Amino acid sequence: MAKKKWQAPVKKNQILDVTITDLTYEGMGVAKIDRYPLFIQNALVGEDCQVKVVKVLKKFAFAIVLERYNDADSRVPLRDENGLRTGTMPLQHMAYPAQLAFKRQQVVNSLQKQGLLEQTEVLETIGMEEPWHYRNKAQIPIGQADGQLYTGFYRKGSHKLVPMTDYQIQLPGIDQTLQKVLAILNQYPISAYDEDAHQGLLRHLIVRQGYYTGQIMLVIVINGQNLPEEDEIVDTLKAQIPDLVSIVFNINQKNTNVILGQDQRVVYGEDAYEDRMFDLRFKISSKSFFQVNTSQAEKLYHQALTAADLKGDEVVVDAYCGIGTISLCLAQSAKEVYGVEVVSDAIDQARENAQINGLDNVTFKAGKAEEVIQDWVQAGLKPDVVVVDPPRKGLAEDFIQSVLEVQPEKIVYVSCNPATLARDLVKFVDQGYQLGKVQPVDMFPQTHHVEAVVGLTRN
Ligand code: SAH
């Protein structure tokens, strides 16, 4: 008998009534037809909606809400519909306490999947008092309409630039700076870059602002070597934006969606601005990673420091250290800190930051954490505490093995991805480490991203 070809239970453009029963980790509503899931944006658990199927795949389909028959208790009015269209604020329809609970649940789910829930407790997510206008960095594509340059964001899955001026989640100083820069650039014959045609000059504006210092860095990304009347433009920018301390022209003439090009010219100040965390000063260059939510990063680091519980005589490794933010916090209460990071620019900056803050008990090394830690271990380094803050993909297997070899008293894991966090924790727990409580921290309100900290202690 010929096997009947499997068919999805819904068709494209089909209209049907559904009840939302779950949320994906990205915060999309889930409704099931038999066992086949529909993923639906702007829909919360308990809501009954009429939806239209827009895309059908083998294991799931996407649908959009045509009509919502009832509101979940956690629903709040949209602040800006463009934040859903462009994906900048996919959770904005959820009340903030519900967002925090949702994020905690992501951590719980990941730990449960790995069988770790019995050995720990997941605390309530630490949120922001005012969960808006928090980002200290914006990378904004530029469009043009009727000859005027404008800021916006791409509609999800397209090259169509939706005009936006108040992004709701960026520091107000950043939104204001973007509009001032555009008003100035609009006085000159400057074309916006068109991704499809690979033509036009102005690609992106990147604005970073020190949350505590107010200092502003502006990076202008161009598909060319120069702007017209460049000196005049730079003078006007300086005159009209008093907090500006650095202007960088980044040259990106490639047909790519990578924002920054290799070459750049600093046309004002140096390639750095400054911000603070706790009582430490940090210089940050245009290419360096810096936590985008400064005040929440302080809360996150505070949790990491508490878990490290330093007495002053410890040797500490800070892996995936970036520009040395966590390393320097640790150095204030440890004997010695060793930081490792793969971006060598960031390591240069980490060293400069140690100097600026008068901390001489920190050693930084550029390289892959999994390789450098092996070198250190072979050279006889015996860390008492190992702090890790890896990217989303989590820890490399060799890295974990090296840590297990030296058996530090404590391991502190700062994670931006609960799934890889749980996967990695199992390996430490299996080798006799005991899990402390897991503390989620909300670094990215209105988005689905979750950050969490947990300490492990050797049994
Ligand atoms: N702890 C820092 C940075 C965390 S972001 C802070 O809080 O500011 C993660 C960092 O890991 C990034 O700086 C990234 O460049 C770095 N990284 C990514 N893969 C790495 C690897 N294999 N080895 C070392 N560092 C790596």
Side-chain angles (χ1 to χ4, degrees), residues 111-360:
L111 293 169
Q112 190 160 34
K113 245 187 211 157
Q114 298 287 350
L116 289 172
L117 213 48
E118 289 72 40
Q119 303 167 48
T120 182
E121 184 186 333
V122 182
L123 300 168
E124 299 294 321
T125 310
I126 298 176
M128 293 185 84
E129 227 152 88
E130 188 49 53
W132 300 99
H133 294 114
Y134 58 85
R135 286 185 63 96
N136 60 29
K137 176 182 179 180
Q139 311 195 96
I140 303 298
I142 304 300
Q144 204 158 26
D146 305 326
Q148 292 291 296
L149 301 165
Y150 70 90
T151 50
F153 226 82
Y154 294 113
R155 185 183 268 271
K156 279 207 290 188
S158 90
H159 285 181
K160 200 177 154 357
L161 197 63
V162 180
M164 287 168 83
T165 50
D166 181 347
Y167 287 79
Q168 307 291 344
I169 55 172
Q170 293 166 188
L171 291 177
I174 290 186
D175 285 345
Q176 286 153 16
T177 301
L178 284 165
Q179 296 319 309
K180 278 192 196 161
V181 174
L182 271 200
I184 294 166
L185 295 181
N186 263 324
Q187 319 260 314
Y188 299 86
I190 295 173
S191 55
Y193 179 71
D194 176 330
E195 275 200 328
D196 295 320
H198 185 45
Q199 264 174 17
L201 184 59
L202 183 59
R203 295 180 76 130
H204 278 83
L205 292 178
I206 301 174
V207 179
R208 300 176 78 161
Q209 182 172 38
Y211 175 79
Y212 288 112
T213 61
Q215 291 188 2
I216 289 172
M217 165 183 267
L218 170 65
V219 182
I220 303 180
V221 186
I222 49 177
N223 172 36
Q225 294 295 325
N226 305 88
L227 284 183
E229 310 293 342
E230 197 170 287
D231 295 343
E232 198 178 288
I233 289 178
V234 170
D235 285 343
T236 315
L237 288 168
K238 286 185 330 200
Q240 293 195 12
I241 307 170
D243 289 328
L244 200 56
V245 296
S246 169
I247 306 177
V248 177
F249 282 5
N250 180 280
I251 317 297
N252 186 356
Q253 294 181 278
K254 287 203 179 136
N255 191 353
T256 164
N257 57 10
V258 175
I259 294 177
L260 287 177
Q262 284 296 319
D263 298 334
Q264 56 181 36
R265 276 188 294 135
V266 181
V267 294
Y268 173 55
E270 49 179 323
D271 179 9
Y273 72 102
E274 216 178 285
D275 203 357
R276 282 195 294 273
M277 287 178 92
F278 307 112
D279 54 348
L280 293 165
R281 293 166 55 195
F282 292 99
K283 268 186 129 175
I284 304 148
S285 76
S286 56
K287 289 192 172 166
S288 294
F289 174 90
F290 187 70
Q291 295 283 358
V292 301
N293 186 336
T294 314
S295 63
Q296 286 301 97
E298 286 180 316
K299 294 183 193 164
L300 183 77
Y301 291 176
H302 176 75
Q303 293 301 320
L305 291 173
T306 306
D309 189 27
L310 299 174
K311 307 280 182 264
D313 55 355
E314 294 91 345
V315 174
V316 186
V317 165
D318 178 23
Y320 309 86
C321 70
I323 60 166
T325 40
I326 298 180
S327 318
L328 298 191
C329 294
L330 293 161
Q332 290 181 312
S333 13
K335 185 168 137 215
E336 271 183 297
V337 177
Y338 292 81
V340 52
E341 156 65 44
V342 76
V343 176
S344 65
D345 272 5
I347 286 294
D348 292 343
Q349 208 130 45
R351 290 188 180 122
E352 194 182 342
N353 285 328
Q355 211 166 30
I356 292 173
N357 291 288
L359 290 162
D360 56 9

